[in-house]
Amino acid sequence: MGKDQIIKFRIQRYNPDVDDKPTFVTFKVPYTDRQGVLDALHYIFRNIDSSLAYRWNCRTGQCGSCAININGVPGLACRTVVNPSQDYILEPLPNFPVIRDLVVDLGPGFNRLEKIRPYLERTSAPERPEKLTREEISSAMELRACIECFSCYAACPAVASAKQEYPGPIAMRELASFEFDPRDQGDRVQLAVSSGLYDCTSCGNCKEVCIPKHIDTRRTAVEGLRALAVEREMGPLEGHQGFIDQIEETGYAVDVKTTPLTDQLPEVVEVSNPVDKVLFYPGCLINLRIQNVGINVVEVLKRNNVQVHIPKDFVCCTSVAFRTGARTIAHDMVVRNTEYFQKLGVTKVVSLCPGCMSTIKQDWPVVLHEENKPPYDFEPFDINEYLIGQLGLEGFNQKDLKPLPIRVVYHDPCHLNRHQGISEEPRKLLQMIPGIEFIDVEDSDRCCGAGGGVRAGRRELSQDIAGIKFEILSEVKPDVIATSCSFCFIQLIDEVKKANSDIKIMNVTDLLAASYRGESIK
């Protein structure tokens, strides 16, 4: 690294009282060791342009004042360390009116918080002294670590689309912090439901930008409040209830329309001299609606000499129950599945559906503990994770892949990328295929609006979020939008139809299978 290295900061300048529209100005700042973005802003203000407007206070990540958009992601300028190998684009937080340059009017956000009564509500005087245990107050205290920087509000796709209808993750966190406080006697659940509790897509972006506190608003606040809403008969929404009823009646979240995948395949898909054996968990959608996706997964595993077990009697993973708050139906299904898998003697379970796999990884262990059952004794893998992590680049069958001369852009499913940390693996698989021109776009990880029960319960909001994502992906004029999620797959197909586009939506394993078979995509 050069002693006099220069970092370029491209900063949005805008004074709504004077300017017709925002413009960008590039500043060159000398790099210093352990320099933060806030340090760079101070340098620009003191040495280059004292008219630059930005907000700051504590410099320690505790006041939240310096939150801005840094390379397209909301974050604290004081906590973001400058990487000397890249340049920076600095913009004001989205979803707020701009006062000037990087300073936004947080008033609308605070006004929304004010409306949910962010203080303890008591209907009777407590006994004195009022004793609280650490266990009683722990959930509320975790949620109260928030510094109100509004990064989560700025990053939320539902806020961007629902506008004034949804007060955002910060409001749901605030409501949950009082609901989980044994001293509070207000009806926070009813207020949460009426304020848009079911608008959350479960994308998890709020936790990703919550630095340094890392509050898991989706799981702790939103899903916690939804569970209480169902318990008190305020939820789930009408659009969710059909899936819940279907699970209770049949064991699956959707009904049978065509021959299930499990009836199309033998119990064991044999290969000669297998390098490994796995159980392929298709989930409800692949088993009952998009069977061709499952056929392609099995094809890819066969081509890599993996013996595949097909679970004929599996039941729903109950992701929809966890996401919408109907947790009570989940317990029986989880126990049935784990006992069945144990009976089959499998040690590795593979799935293409990130909703299923993140539920298996994160929710099933909790249920088994609550039911006093032993932990499951198999390793769960997303299909991309398995192909790259278990078979490895050297073990993966690349020699039989045939060219696919197409342009491909990738959509990151939230339950795969954020909830399982799997992002590079599908990209590596796509780039293995000869002939593919792979395009990576900046907002590949923006939510498509299908998750969290929003597609089923708040379809109009879901479609609006999906429309924004499809516009981002289609702008680079791909032949194929690739993903690795059965739910995102269906959501994006709907957008293609609505736009009357000839872009194809395919899973990564669909493209791999087509390459192995030498099929033409165009």
Side-chain angles (χ1 to χ4, degrees):
M1 185 188 307
K3 181 180 179 182
D4 300 323
Q5 185 170 2
I6 298 297
I7 311 296
K8 291 181 181 179
F9 288 85
R10 192 165 178 258
I11 301 177
Q12 181 176 308
R13 307 300 302 272
Y14 179 53
N15 183 345
D17 294 332
V18 177
D19 302 325
D20 293 331
K21 61 181 180 179
T23 58
F24 282 88
V25 177
T26 299
F27 297 93
K28 296 179 180 180
V29 178
Y31 175 74
T32 57
D33 190 35
R34 290 181 288 185
Q35 183 181 44
V37 168
L38 184 59
D39 296 319
L41 289 171
H42 286 338
Y43 179 90
I44 294 167
F45 181 81
R46 292 166 183 162
N47 298 282
I48 304 176
D49 188 347
S50 61
S51 71
L52 177 65
Y54 60 101
R55 186 184 277 133
W56 69 283
N57 190 9
C58 75
R59 296 175 60 101
T60 60
Q62 298 303 313
C63 72
S65 300
C66 64
I68 57 175
N69 241 31
I70 304 171
N71 288 345
V73 180
L76 300 182
C78 70
R79 298 287 297 195
T80 305
V81 178
V82 171
N83 181 345
S85 65
Q86 69 179 73
D87 295 332
Y88 286 83
I89 298 175
L90 307 183
E91 301 165 284
L93 288 180
N95 301 326
F96 289 102
V98 176
I99 295 176
R100 206 178 90 197
D101 298 341
L102 301 180
V103 181
V104 297
D105 180 5
L106 296 174
F110 283 114
N111 290 340
R112 300 305 297 270
L113 289 181
E114 185 179 332
K115 289 179 181 178
I116 62 173
R117 306 190 297 273
Y119 45 80
L120 284 175
E121 290 189 329
R122 313 298 289 259
T123 57
S124 59
E127 294 182 7
R128 301 292 184 184
E130 190 170 11
K131 297 180 180 180
L132 295 172
T133 66
R134 183 181 295 274
E135 290 72 23
E136 287 176 324
I137 204 72
S138 59
S139 295
M141 293 308 295
E142 176 191 348
L143 293 167
R144 287 189 187 146
C146 174
I147 59 175
E148 295 182 346
C149 68
F150 285 93
S151 289
C152 63
Y153 185 96
C156 179
V159 168
S161 291
K163 307 302 180 188
Q164 296 303 313
E165 294 180 23
Y166 182 53
I170 189 170
M172 294 302 130
R173 175 210 56 77
E174 190 82 347
L175 285 165
S177 73
F178 287 105
E179 177 59 35
F180 300 155
D181 190 322
R183 298 170 296 175
D184 190 80
Q185 296 170 325
D187 193 343
R188 306 298 183 164
V189 176
Q190 184 179 38
L191 185 54
V193 172
S194 63
S195 298
L197 177 60
Y198 283 97
D199 287 358
C200 171
T201 65
S202 297
C203 74
N205 209 17
C206 49
K207 181 183 178 183
E208 192 167 85
V209 301
C210 185
I211 298 172
K213 300 304 180 180
H214 304 289
I215 300 171
D216 195 348
T217 299
R218 189 267 296 194
R219 294 185 70 85
T220 306
V222 172
E223 291 185 8
L225 289 169
R226 286 179 177 181
L228 290 173
V230 171
E231 185 180 305
R232 299 174 193 177
E233 299 184 348
M234 300 178 194
L237 300 183
E238 183 179 349
H240 304 143
Q241 194 60 52
F243 295 101
I244 305 302
D245 294 342
Q246 189 77 24
I247 293 172
E248 288 185 307
E249 293 170 11
T250 68
Y252 301 104
V254 295
D255 56 355
V256 179
K257 289 194 173 181
T258 55
T259 306
L261 177 70
T262 50
D263 290 345
Q264 297 181 34
L265 296 170
E267 289 188 5
V268 180
V269 179
E270 299 282 3
V271 293
S272 59
N273 302 316
V275 298
D276 202 0
K277 63 179 181 178
V278 301
L279 179 143
F280 171 48
Y281 183 85
C284 301
L285 275 177
I286 291 177
N287 190 41
L288 302 178
R289 295 288 175 85
I290 48 175
Q291 293 89 338
N292 62 302
V293 172
I295 294 290
N296 287 333
V297 170
V298 173
E299 172 81 9
V300 171
L301 290 169
K302 282 174 60 182
R303 294 277 189 163
N304 282 275
N305 225 33
V306 177
Q307 184 187 85
V308 186
H309 292 249
I310 306 298
K312 299 289 186 176
D313 298 320
F314 83 92
V315 289
C316 181
C317 73
T318 62
S319 172
V320 63
F322 286 107
R323 306 293 80 84
T324 61
R327 285 177 52 90
T328 53
I329 70 163
H331 286 227
D332 178 56
M333 301 296 167
V334 170
V335 172
R336 282 174 62 182
N337 273 326
T338 53
E339 290 181 348
Y340 175 48
F341 294 172
Q342 185 175 12
K343 180 181 175 183
L344 293 176
V346 297
T347 59
K348 295 178 182 178
V349 173
V350 170
S351 178
L352 179 137
C353 179
C356 292
M357 190 46 67
S358 61
T359 300
I360 291 171
K361 289 179 177 179
Q362 297 160 12
D363 296 301
W364 284 20
V366 176
V367 169
L368 293 173
H369 176 74
E370 291 173 351
E371 293 290 329
N372 293 315
K373 299 288 185 179
Y376 53 64
D377 55 0
F378 57 83
E379 292 182 272
F381 295 100
D382 166 75
I383 184 64
N384 303 279
E385 178 185 27
Y386 176 79
L387 294 173
I388 293 295
Q390 294 294 295
L391 297 182
L393 293 175
E394 293 182 0
F396 189 84
N397 177 12
Q398 299 184 51
K399 63 181 177 61
D400 291 334
L401 291 171
K402 300 172 183 64
L404 293 179
I406 52 175
R407 287 169 57 86
V408 177
V409 66
Y410 181 69
H411 160 69
D412 278 289
C414 299
H415 280 273
L416 186 63
N417 176 25
R418 295 193 184 92
H419 301 333
Q420 296 182 67
I422 298 170
S423 178
E424 291 303 314
E425 292 87 341
R427 287 171 166 80
K428 288 179 180 178
L429 290 168
L430 288 171
Q431 291 171 22
M432 281 183 191
I433 302 173
I436 277 185
E437 180 188 350
F438 179 69
I439 312 147
D440 219 347
V441 295
E442 185 175 316
D443 289 325
S444 63
D445 62 347
R446 185 186 178 94
C447 181
C448 74
V454 175
R455 177 180 164 88
R458 295 276 281 114
R459 180 59 69 91
E460 187 176 339
L461 172 60
S462 174
Q463 289 174 334
D464 190 71
I465 297 172
I468 294 172
K469 185 57 188 278
F470 180 70
E471 186 176 335
I472 291 168
L473 296 171
S474 60
E475 189 175 356
V476 295
K477 296 181 171 31
D479 299 306
V480 173
I481 295 173
T483 187
S484 198
C485 172
S486 49
F487 220 39
C488 297
F489 176 78
I490 290 174
Q491 180 85 332
L492 292 171
I493 283 177
D494 284 352
E495 286 305 305
V496 166
K497 291 176 181 176
K498 190 164 69 173
N500 196 26
S501 169
D502 58 0
I503 296 174
K504 290 181 171 58
I505 308 299
M506 301 180 73
N507 283 287
V508 173
T509 43
D510 296 332
L511 286 166
L512 286 168
S515 177
Y516 279 130
R517 292 191 290 253
E519 296 175 352
S520 174
I521 299 300
K522 290 186 178 180

